[in-house]
Amino acid sequence: MKDAPTHYCPGCGHGLVHRLICECIDEMGLRDTTIAVAPVGCAVLAYDYWDFDTTEAAHGRTPAVATAIKRVHPKNLVFTYQGDGDLAAIGTAEIIHAGNRGENISVIFVNNGVYGMTGGQMAPTTLLGQRTATSQFTRRSDKEGFPLKIMEMMQVLPGVTYLERTSIHSPKEVINAKRAIKKSFQTQINGNGFSMVEIISPCPTYWGMTPVRSMKRIKEEVMEEYELGVVKDAS
Amino acid sequence: MKTRYLSTGNEACAEGAIRAGCQFYAGYPITPQNEITAYMSRRMEETGWTFIQSESELSAISMVFGASVAGARAMTSSSSPGISLKQEGISYLAGCELPGVIINVMRGGPGLGNISTAQSDYFQATKGGGHGDYHSIVYAPASVQEMFDFTYKAFAKADEYRTPVMILADGTLGQMMEPVEFDDDIEPSGRVTKPWAMTGAKGRKANSVKSLLLGDGVLERHNEKLQEKYNEIEEKEVMYHDHDTDDADIVMVAYGTTGRIAYSCMNKLREEGVKIGLFRPQTLWPFPYKEISHLAAQGTKFLVIEMSSGQMLQDVRMAVQDDKRISFWGRLGGGIPTEEEIIETVKKM
């Protein structure tokens, strides 16, 4: 990890997830072989923090870029870092098909239920009843549809090896999220194919609440919709 | 030792890529370029490299981005509607200064159009195409041999300038069969080292390849650097063929399949004693402005022929700077100019 001032808002989960990834890479001794693909979204500047090779992708095409990098360098650790807009909206086709091809890559999917970078618009993962910049009357199932559960959609794909949904709302969950990231990387190193770790993460700025209240909201509201745990494990 | 093969334009293009050292191909089915994808699915496997039939054109060009940023030679191919989708990724390639080869076997448009031959993507190919201030090098083959030669060359130029390169072919060239000749042990074209590539940062600082440049003035400086590169390409990379232009009163300007038709017309008209020549651009960007301007200085008239409503025509007008001397004949929506139409147009000039 580089020693750089953060651009993230106070209480944002991205910085914490960045650190977990870097800790895993250091502990596993993978810094020299890691190649990351940053998304379009709040984490677009990930390469300013990570001290390993990192490139960008067009919005949502992150798994397509990672697919090709891994095919060119099959021995390197290749992972994507994607938000819920990048992965669950504009990049739905890319994530499903990368999983279905069983690409031997890792996906770190940070789900905070809004588009943070552009000003807190509704995401596919926004909860019902949640007010955002583009769901001013809150998200209603009859007009805006339901929160999308990519993990559950992907578990039916034979090409997908390991899926786990985690959170960072408490120290215990942070430790668990780190374990899941490590397991995803190990799955790839073992050549066992596609894995994805979803991390429920707070966005105090666009949830309109304090960082502490945001952590509580994850536990009390978000986890009601997005159940934590292993969704699939064939590793 | 050179061997002659009978090949379609599409397959010659694909083999040109293989011989150039293409290490990664991603494509999505669309007519009239499907022979490239099918051929690559076999040949990439045989050469030990990667073929992926992607879920979309958007994904295919992003896979080219990924392979390219990883240091490999990469290509995708499509036809007009698919090329529209690829503009996203082409803009990213240009912005990140990544090499990549894109084949457009043009068909009729707009929209889904038809699957006949056309040249109506000229503006898209030569004036940027995607968002931002950029150019791709654009080659315009007019034979199966040039489909092979230009694709082979495209990989070297893409690497040399770190820029996307497009082969702007058309449905006729893709589907027609002609002999193509190349050295059996031809070596990959112009290899370069890529210290910027994503390979894992062993023994060096971490690389980052990106087009997002938020710092004060950084993006402007990046764009200035891109423009310097484009100036250099305009200076060095113009290619064209001219036939009998020295003594010509009339010069036809046409590329690709239209260039072939114009060539036949020229021969017929010459037999009738008409002093007519043909100027066939082989690069559409950079466009041979200077060379056409030079012909204009001889006092010649020009007839621009295209399978469009007059897109290259705009570049010829810029070169000639005298609209009164320029005539145009174009067919639209998959229509092909006939020799009779062209000869009649010439006789009216």
mmCIF file of all heavy atoms in Angstrom, chain B residues 310-348:
data_model
loop_
_atom_site.group_PDB
_atom_site.id
_atom_site.type_symbol
_atom_site.label_atom_id
_atom_site.label_comp_id
_atom_site.label_asym_id
_atom_site.label_seq_id
_atom_site.Cartn_x
_atom_site.Cartn_y
_atom_site.Cartn_z
ATOM 1 N N GLY B 310 -20.981 10.681 -49.514
ATOM 2 C CA GLY B 310 -19.898 11.631 -49.722
ATOM 3 C C GLY B 310 -19.199 11.983 -48.427
ATOM 4 O O GLY B 310 -19.330 13.103 -47.935
ATOM 5 N N GLN B 311 -18.489 11.020 -47.869
ATOM 6 C CA GLN B 311 -17.791 11.256 -46.598
ATOM 7 C C GLN B 311 -16.322 11.592 -46.853
ATOM 8 O O GLN B 311 -15.845 12.645 -46.430
ATOM 9 C CB GLN B 311 -17.964 10.041 -45.682
ATOM 10 C CG GLN B 311 -19.444 9.794 -45.349
ATOM 11 C CD GLN B 311 -19.660 8.791 -44.231
ATOM 12 O OE1 GLN B 311 -18.741 8.398 -43.527
ATOM 13 N NE2 GLN B 311 -20.900 8.368 -44.057
ATOM 14 N N MET B 312 -15.617 10.718 -47.610
ATOM 15 C CA MET B 312 -14.241 11.057 -47.983
ATOM 16 C C MET B 312 -14.223 12.335 -48.821
ATOM 17 O O MET B 312 -13.239 13.080 -48.820
ATOM 18 C CB MET B 312 -13.588 9.900 -48.737
ATOM 19 C CG MET B 312 -12.137 10.173 -49.113
ATOM 20 S SD MET B 312 -11.342 8.798 -49.942
ATOM 21 C CE MET B 312 -12.202 8.794 -51.503
ATOM 22 N N LEU B 313 -15.333 12.552 -49.538
ATOM 23 C CA LEU B 313 -15.479 13.776 -50.337
ATOM 24 C C LEU B 313 -15.058 15.015 -49.549
ATOM 25 O O LEU B 313 -14.411 15.913 -50.081
ATOM 26 C CB LEU B 313 -16.946 13.899 -50.783
ATOM 27 C CG LEU B 313 -17.362 15.181 -51.497
ATOM 28 C CD1 LEU B 313 -16.631 15.336 -52.826
ATOM 29 C CD2 LEU B 313 -18.873 15.188 -51.735
ATOM 30 N N GLN B 314 -15.425 15.062 -48.258
ATOM 31 C CA GLN B 314 -15.098 16.241 -47.441
ATOM 32 C C GLN B 314 -13.585 16.439 -47.331
ATOM 33 O O GLN B 314 -13.103 17.571 -47.370
ATOM 34 C CB GLN B 314 -15.693 16.091 -46.028
ATOM 35 C CG GLN B 314 -17.178 15.804 -45.989
ATOM 36 C CD GLN B 314 -18.008 16.924 -46.609
ATOM 37 O OE1 GLN B 314 -17.601 18.082 -46.600
ATOM 38 N NE2 GLN B 314 -19.149 16.563 -47.174
ATOM 39 N N ASP B 315 -12.857 15.316 -47.213
ATOM 40 C CA ASP B 315 -11.394 15.422 -47.110
ATOM 41 C C ASP B 315 -10.784 15.842 -48.451
ATOM 42 O O ASP B 315 -9.808 16.595 -48.481
ATOM 43 C CB ASP B 315 -10.801 14.091 -46.637
ATOM 44 C CG ASP B 315 -10.982 13.899 -45.140
ATOM 45 O OD1 ASP B 315 -10.904 14.903 -44.397
ATOM 46 O OD2 ASP B 315 -11.223 12.755 -44.705
ATOM 47 N N VAL B 316 -11.351 15.334 -49.540
ATOM 48 C CA VAL B 316 -10.848 15.731 -50.864
ATOM 49 C C VAL B 316 -11.088 17.232 -51.077
ATOM 50 O O VAL B 316 -10.224 17.952 -51.577
ATOM 51 C CB VAL B 316 -11.501 14.882 -51.982
ATOM 52 C CG1 VAL B 316 -11.038 15.366 -53.364
ATOM 53 C CG2 VAL B 316 -11.165 13.401 -51.793
ATOM 54 N N ARG B 317 -12.261 17.708 -50.650
ATOM 55 C CA ARG B 317 -12.553 19.151 -50.775
ATOM 56 C C ARG B 317 -11.541 19.989 -49.995
ATOM 57 O O ARG B 317 -11.101 21.045 -50.454
ATOM 58 C CB ARG B 317 -13.969 19.446 -50.272
ATOM 59 C CG ARG B 317 -15.040 18.921 -51.218
ATOM 60 C CD ARG B 317 -16.402 19.003 -50.600
ATOM 61 N NE ARG B 317 -16.860 20.384 -50.505
ATOM 62 C CZ ARG B 317 -18.041 20.738 -50.006
ATOM 63 N NH1 ARG B 317 -18.866 19.818 -49.567
ATOM 64 N NH2 ARG B 317 -18.396 21.988 -49.963
ATOM 65 N N MET B 318 -11.179 19.487 -48.799
ATOM 66 C CA MET B 318 -10.191 20.225 -47.996
ATOM 67 C C MET B 318 -8.837 20.257 -48.697
ATOM 68 O O MET B 318 -8.117 21.250 -48.617
ATOM 69 C CB MET B 318 -10.046 19.569 -46.623
ATOM 70 C CG MET B 318 -11.256 19.817 -45.754
ATOM 71 S SD MET B 318 -10.822 20.096 -44.050
ATOM 72 C CE MET B 318 -10.333 18.487 -43.526
ATOM 73 N N ALA B 319 -8.514 19.160 -49.397
ATOM 74 C CA ALA B 319 -7.212 19.090 -50.071
ATOM 75 C C ALA B 319 -7.200 19.942 -51.333
ATOM 76 O O ALA B 319 -6.212 20.609 -51.621
ATOM 77 C CB ALA B 319 -6.880 17.634 -50.402
ATOM 78 N N VAL B 320 -8.297 19.921 -52.082
ATOM 79 C CA VAL B 320 -8.331 20.596 -53.394
ATOM 80 C C VAL B 320 -8.594 22.092 -53.244
ATOM 81 O O VAL B 320 -8.049 22.911 -53.990
ATOM 82 C CB VAL B 320 -9.397 19.928 -54.307
ATOM 83 C CG1 VAL B 320 -9.559 20.707 -55.618
ATOM 84 C CG2 VAL B 320 -9.010 18.479 -54.587
ATOM 85 N N GLN B 321 -9.418 22.465 -52.283
ATOM 86 C CA GLN B 321 -9.752 23.879 -52.035
ATOM 87 C C GLN B 321 -10.365 24.547 -53.264
ATOM 88 O O GLN B 321 -10.092 25.724 -53.546
ATOM 89 C CB GLN B 321 -8.488 24.647 -51.587
ATOM 90 C CG GLN B 321 -7.935 24.223 -50.241
ATOM 91 C CD GLN B 321 -8.773 24.717 -49.075
ATOM 92 O OE1 GLN B 321 -9.250 25.834 -49.070
ATOM 93 N NE2 GLN B 321 -8.989 23.848 -48.105
ATOM 94 N N ASP B 322 -11.129 23.803 -54.051
ATOM 95 C CA ASP B 322 -11.830 24.395 -55.197
ATOM 96 C C ASP B 322 -12.991 23.468 -55.566
ATOM 97 O O ASP B 322 -12.857 22.585 -56.405
ATOM 98 C CB ASP B 322 -10.864 24.555 -56.385
ATOM 99 C CG ASP B 322 -11.544 25.209 -57.581
ATOM 100 O OD1 ASP B 322 -12.737 25.573 -57.475
ATOM 101 O OD2 ASP B 322 -10.878 25.353 -58.622
ATOM 102 N N ASP B 323 -14.149 23.697 -54.932
ATOM 103 C CA ASP B 323 -15.274 22.776 -55.080
ATOM 104 C C ASP B 323 -15.764 22.641 -56.519
ATOM 105 O O ASP B 323 -16.299 21.603 -56.898
ATOM 106 C CB ASP B 323 -16.445 23.221 -54.184
ATOM 107 C CG ASP B 323 -16.153 22.989 -52.709
ATOM 108 O OD1 ASP B 323 -15.079 22.414 -52.418
ATOM 109 O OD2 ASP B 323 -16.973 23.386 -51.869
ATOM 110 N N LYS B 324 -15.545 23.689 -57.319
ATOM 111 C CA LYS B 324 -16.041 23.654 -58.703
ATOM 112 C C LYS B 324 -15.380 22.538 -59.515
ATOM 113 O O LYS B 324 -15.922 22.064 -60.492
ATOM 114 C CB LYS B 324 -15.783 25.001 -59.389
ATOM 115 C CG LYS B 324 -16.632 26.143 -58.832
ATOM 116 C CD LYS B 324 -16.515 27.407 -59.647
ATOM 117 C CE LYS B 324 -15.127 28.010 -59.672
ATOM 118 N NZ LYS B 324 -14.703 28.535 -58.342
ATOM 119 N N ARG B 325 -14.206 22.148 -59.094
ATOM 120 C CA ARG B 325 -13.471 21.128 -59.851
ATOM 121 C C ARG B 325 -13.753 19.709 -59.354
ATOM 122 O O ARG B 325 -13.173 18.746 -59.834
ATOM 123 C CB ARG B 325 -11.966 21.401 -59.743
ATOM 124 C CG ARG B 325 -11.522 22.509 -60.684
ATOM 125 C CD ARG B 325 -10.041 22.410 -60.900
ATOM 126 N NE ARG B 325 -9.290 23.136 -59.888
ATOM 127 C CZ ARG B 325 -8.070 22.790 -59.490
ATOM 128 N NH1 ARG B 325 -7.488 21.707 -59.960
ATOM 129 N NH2 ARG B 325 -7.438 23.515 -58.590
ATOM 130 N N ILE B 326 -14.627 19.590 -58.349
ATOM 131 C CA ILE B 326 -14.860 18.266 -57.759
ATOM 132 C C ILE B 326 -16.262 17.772 -58.072
ATOM 133 O O ILE B 326 -17.248 18.465 -57.817
ATOM 134 C CB ILE B 326 -14.663 18.304 -56.229
ATOM 135 C CG1 ILE B 326 -13.285 18.855 -55.884
ATOM 136 C CG2 ILE B 326 -14.835 16.903 -55.625
ATOM 137 C CD1 ILE B 326 -13.065 19.089 -54.401
ATOM 138 N N SER B 327 -16.356 16.586 -58.637
ATOM 139 C CA SER B 327 -17.654 15.919 -58.832
ATOM 140 C C SER B 327 -17.717 14.717 -57.901
ATOM 141 O O SER B 327 -16.688 14.244 -57.402
ATOM 142 C CB SER B 327 -17.804 15.447 -60.273
ATOM 143 O OG SER B 327 -17.706 16.545 -61.151
ATOM 144 N N PHE B 328 -18.929 14.228 -57.704
ATOM 145 C CA PHE B 328 -19.083 13.088 -56.792
ATOM 146 C C PHE B 328 -20.083 12.086 -57.351
ATOM 147 O O PHE B 328 -21.104 12.465 -57.924
ATOM 148 C CB PHE B 328 -19.577 13.592 -55.422
ATOM 149 C CG PHE B 328 -19.869 12.468 -54.458
ATOM 150 C CD1 PHE B 328 -18.830 11.746 -53.879
ATOM 151 C CD2 PHE B 328 -21.179 12.102 -54.159
ATOM 152 C CE1 PHE B 328 -19.093 10.693 -53.009
ATOM 153 C CE2 PHE B 328 -21.448 11.050 -53.293
ATOM 154 C CZ PHE B 328 -20.397 10.348 -52.720
ATOM 155 N N TRP B 329 -19.766 10.807 -57.197
ATOM 156 C CA TRP B 329 -20.744 9.761 -57.476
ATOM 157 C C TRP B 329 -20.755 8.788 -56.297
ATOM 158 O O TRP B 329 -19.722 8.244 -55.924
ATOM 159 C CB TRP B 329 -20.418 9.007 -58.775
ATOM 160 C CG TRP B 329 -21.470 7.973 -59.041
ATOM 161 C CD1 TRP B 329 -21.342 6.634 -58.900
ATOM 162 C CD2 TRP B 329 -22.820 8.207 -59.453
ATOM 163 N NE1 TRP B 329 -22.521 6.004 -59.197
ATOM 164 C CE2 TRP B 329 -23.457 6.946 -59.535
ATOM 165 C CE3 TRP B 329 -23.567 9.360 -59.743
ATOM 166 C CZ2 TRP B 329 -24.800 6.812 -59.907
ATOM 167 C CZ3 TRP B 329 -24.889 9.217 -60.128
ATOM 168 C CH2 TRP B 329 -25.488 7.956 -60.193
ATOM 169 N N GLY B 330 -21.909 8.640 -55.715
ATOM 170 C CA GLY B 330 -21.998 7.717 -54.580
ATOM 171 C C GLY B 330 -23.242 6.870 -54.649
ATOM 172 O O GLY B 330 -24.262 7.287 -55.204
ATOM 173 N N ARG B 331 -23.167 5.666 -54.128
ATOM 174 C CA ARG B 331 -24.336 4.799 -53.967
ATOM 175 C C ARG B 331 -24.509 4.549 -52.470
ATOM 176 O O ARG B 331 -23.533 4.484 -51.719
ATOM 177 C CB ARG B 331 -24.134 3.474 -54.713
ATOM 178 C CG ARG B 331 -24.146 3.631 -56.241
ATOM 179 C CD ARG B 331 -25.536 3.883 -56.812
ATOM 180 N NE ARG B 331 -26.478 2.835 -56.465
ATOM 181 C CZ ARG B 331 -26.667 1.720 -57.193
ATOM 182 N NH1 ARG B 331 -25.969 1.519 -58.309
ATOM 183 N NH2 ARG B 331 -27.551 0.819 -56.819
ATOM 184 N N LEU B 332 -25.748 4.403 -52.059
ATOM 185 C CA LEU B 332 -26.060 4.375 -50.626
ATOM 186 C C LEU B 332 -26.625 3.029 -50.175
ATOM 187 O O LEU B 332 -27.111 2.247 -51.001
ATOM 188 C CB LEU B 332 -27.094 5.463 -50.298
ATOM 189 C CG LEU B 332 -26.789 6.877 -50.813
ATOM 190 C CD1 LEU B 332 -27.933 7.814 -50.462
ATOM 191 C CD2 LEU B 332 -25.492 7.398 -50.238
ATOM 192 N N GLY B 333 -26.570 2.813 -48.884
ATOM 193 C CA GLY B 333 -27.285 1.691 -48.263
ATOM 194 C C GLY B 333 -26.995 0.340 -48.876
ATOM 195 O O GLY B 333 -27.893 -0.472 -49.077
ATOM 196 N N GLY B 334 -25.744 0.058 -49.173
ATOM 197 C CA GLY B 334 -25.376 -1.250 -49.722
ATOM 198 C C GLY B 334 -25.358 -1.286 -51.237
ATOM 199 O O GLY B 334 -25.023 -2.303 -51.835
ATOM 200 N N GLY B 335 -25.703 -0.167 -51.887
ATOM 201 C CA GLY B 335 -25.602 -0.094 -53.347
ATOM 202 C C GLY B 335 -24.150 0.002 -53.778
ATOM 203 O O GLY B 335 -23.324 0.566 -53.057
ATOM 204 N N ILE B 336 -23.832 -0.577 -54.952
ATOM 205 C CA ILE B 336 -22.447 -0.576 -55.443
ATOM 206 C C ILE B 336 -22.398 0.220 -56.751
ATOM 207 O O ILE B 336 -23.173 -0.063 -57.666
ATOM 208 C CB ILE B 336 -21.948 -2.016 -55.682
ATOM 209 C CG1 ILE B 336 -22.086 -2.832 -54.386
ATOM 210 C CG2 ILE B 336 -20.510 -2.026 -56.178
ATOM 211 C CD1 ILE B 336 -21.842 -4.326 -54.568
ATOM 212 N N PRO B 337 -21.515 1.202 -56.840
ATOM 213 C CA PRO B 337 -21.418 1.973 -58.083
ATOM 214 C C PRO B 337 -21.046 1.050 -59.255
ATOM 215 O O PRO B 337 -20.153 0.210 -59.119
ATOM 216 C CB PRO B 337 -20.280 2.958 -57.814
ATOM 217 C CG PRO B 337 -20.103 2.984 -56.342
ATOM 218 C CD PRO B 337 -20.526 1.639 -55.846
ATOM 219 N N THR B 338 -21.742 1.202 -60.377
ATOM 220 C CA THR B 338 -21.403 0.381 -61.552
ATOM 221 C C THR B 338 -20.421 1.147 -62.429
ATOM 222 O O THR B 338 -20.340 2.379 -62.370
ATOM 223 C CB THR B 338 -22.653 0.052 -62.380
ATOM 224 O OG1 THR B 338 -23.170 1.278 -62.912
ATOM 225 C CG2 THR B 338 -23.715 -0.647 -61.535
ATOM 226 N N GLU B 339 -19.717 0.391 -63.279
ATOM 227 C CA GLU B 339 -18.779 1.030 -64.214
ATOM 228 C C GLU B 339 -19.529 1.982 -65.141
ATOM 229 O O GLU B 339 -19.050 3.073 -65.441
ATOM 230 C CB GLU B 339 -18.055 -0.049 -65.026
ATOM 231 C CG GLU B 339 -17.058 -0.819 -64.185
ATOM 232 C CD GLU B 339 -16.307 -1.877 -64.991
ATOM 233 O OE1 GLU B 339 -16.351 -1.834 -66.232
ATOM 234 O OE2 GLU B 339 -15.683 -2.747 -64.367
ATOM 235 N N GLU B 340 -20.722 1.556 -65.577
ATOM 236 C CA GLU B 340 -21.508 2.384 -66.506
ATOM 237 C C GLU B 340 -21.826 3.738 -65.866
ATOM 238 O O GLU B 340 -21.677 4.794 -66.502
ATOM 239 C CB GLU B 340 -22.821 1.673 -66.889
ATOM 240 C CG GLU B 340 -22.643 0.415 -67.724
ATOM 241 C CD GLU B 340 -22.070 -0.765 -66.939
ATOM 242 O OE1 GLU B 340 -22.261 -0.817 -65.703
ATOM 243 O OE2 GLU B 340 -21.406 -1.623 -67.548
ATOM 244 N N GLU B 341 -22.263 3.706 -64.600
ATOM 245 C CA GLU B 341 -22.601 4.955 -63.900
ATOM 246 C C GLU B 341 -21.386 5.877 -63.806
ATOM 247 O O GLU B 341 -21.487 7.081 -64.022
ATOM 248 C CB GLU B 341 -23.065 4.658 -62.462
ATOM 249 C CG GLU B 341 -24.412 3.987 -62.341
ATOM 250 C CD GLU B 341 -24.652 3.382 -60.952
ATOM 251 O OE1 GLU B 341 -23.771 3.495 -60.066
ATOM 252 O OE2 GLU B 341 -25.721 2.789 -60.769
ATOM 253 N N ILE B 342 -20.257 5.273 -63.483
ATOM 254 C CA ILE B 342 -19.043 6.083 -63.282
ATOM 255 C C ILE B 342 -18.577 6.679 -64.615
ATOM 256 O O ILE B 342 -18.271 7.875 -64.701
ATOM 257 C CB ILE B 342 -17.926 5.239 -62.624
ATOM 258 C CG1 ILE B 342 -18.347 4.837 -61.199
ATOM 259 C CG2 ILE B 342 -16.609 6.006 -62.589
ATOM 260 C CD1 ILE B 342 -17.463 3.790 -60.556
ATOM 261 N N ILE B 343 -18.570 5.829 -65.650
ATOM 262 C CA ILE B 343 -18.110 6.295 -66.966
ATOM 263 C C ILE B 343 -19.019 7.421 -67.476
ATOM 264 O O ILE B 343 -18.543 8.439 -67.994
ATOM 265 C CB ILE B 343 -18.024 5.099 -67.956
ATOM 266 C CG1 ILE B 343 -16.826 4.215 -67.558
ATOM 267 C CG2 ILE B 343 -17.903 5.582 -69.403
ATOM 268 C CD1 ILE B 343 -16.747 2.881 -68.262
ATOM 269 N N GLU B 344 -20.320 7.258 -67.254
ATOM 270 C CA GLU B 344 -21.261 8.289 -67.660
ATOM 271 C C GLU B 344 -20.997 9.597 -66.908
ATOM 272 O O GLU B 344 -21.013 10.689 -67.483
ATOM 273 C CB GLU B 344 -22.677 7.791 -67.356
ATOM 274 C CG GLU B 344 -23.769 8.512 -68.124
ATOM 275 C CD GLU B 344 -25.145 8.043 -67.649
ATOM 276 O OE1 GLU B 344 -25.347 6.811 -67.518
ATOM 277 O OE2 GLU B 344 -25.990 8.922 -67.378
ATOM 278 N N THR B 345 -20.726 9.461 -65.605
ATOM 279 C CA THR B 345 -20.430 10.654 -64.794
ATOM 280 C C THR B 345 -19.168 11.350 -65.302
ATOM 281 O O THR B 345 -19.134 12.581 -65.405
ATOM 282 C CB THR B 345 -20.250 10.269 -63.306
ATOM 283 O OG1 THR B 345 -21.362 9.474 -62.914
ATOM 284 C CG2 THR B 345 -20.164 11.487 -62.426
ATOM 285 N N VAL B 346 -18.158 10.562 -65.628
ATOM 286 C CA VAL B 346 -16.902 11.140 -66.126
ATOM 287 C C VAL B 346 -17.167 11.898 -67.425
ATOM 288 O O VAL B 346 -16.671 13.021 -67.628
ATOM 289 C CB VAL B 346 -15.853 10.026 -66.364
ATOM 290 C CG1 VAL B 346 -14.657 10.562 -67.153
ATOM 291 C CG2 VAL B 346 -15.380 9.434 -65.043
ATOM 292 N N LYS B 347 -17.981 11.297 -68.277
ATOM 293 C CA LYS B 347 -18.211 11.931 -69.588
ATOM 294 C C LYS B 347 -18.994 13.240 -69.481
ATOM 295 O O LYS B 347 -18.931 14.067 -70.374
ATOM 296 C CB LYS B 347 -18.914 10.941 -70.512
ATOM 297 C CG LYS B 347 -17.947 9.854 -70.984
ATOM 298 C CD LYS B 347 -18.545 8.869 -71.938
ATOM 299 C CE LYS B 347 -17.440 7.933 -72.457
ATOM 300 N NZ LYS B 347 -17.990 6.794 -73.195
ATOM 301 N N LYS B 348 -19.707 13.405 -68.382
ATOM 302 C CA LYS B 348 -20.446 14.667 -68.170
ATOM 303 C C LYS B 348 -19.558 15.768 -67.600
ATOM 304 O O LYS B 348 -19.969 16.914 -67.502
ATOM 305 C CB LYS B 348 -21.615 14.419 -67.203
ATOM 306 C CG LYS B 348 -22.813 13.748 -67.843
ATOM 307 C CD LYS B 348 -23.918 13.663 -66.801
ATOM 308 C CE LYS B 348 -25.006 12.694 -67.242
ATOM 309 N NZ LYS B 348 -25.790 12.223 -66.098
#
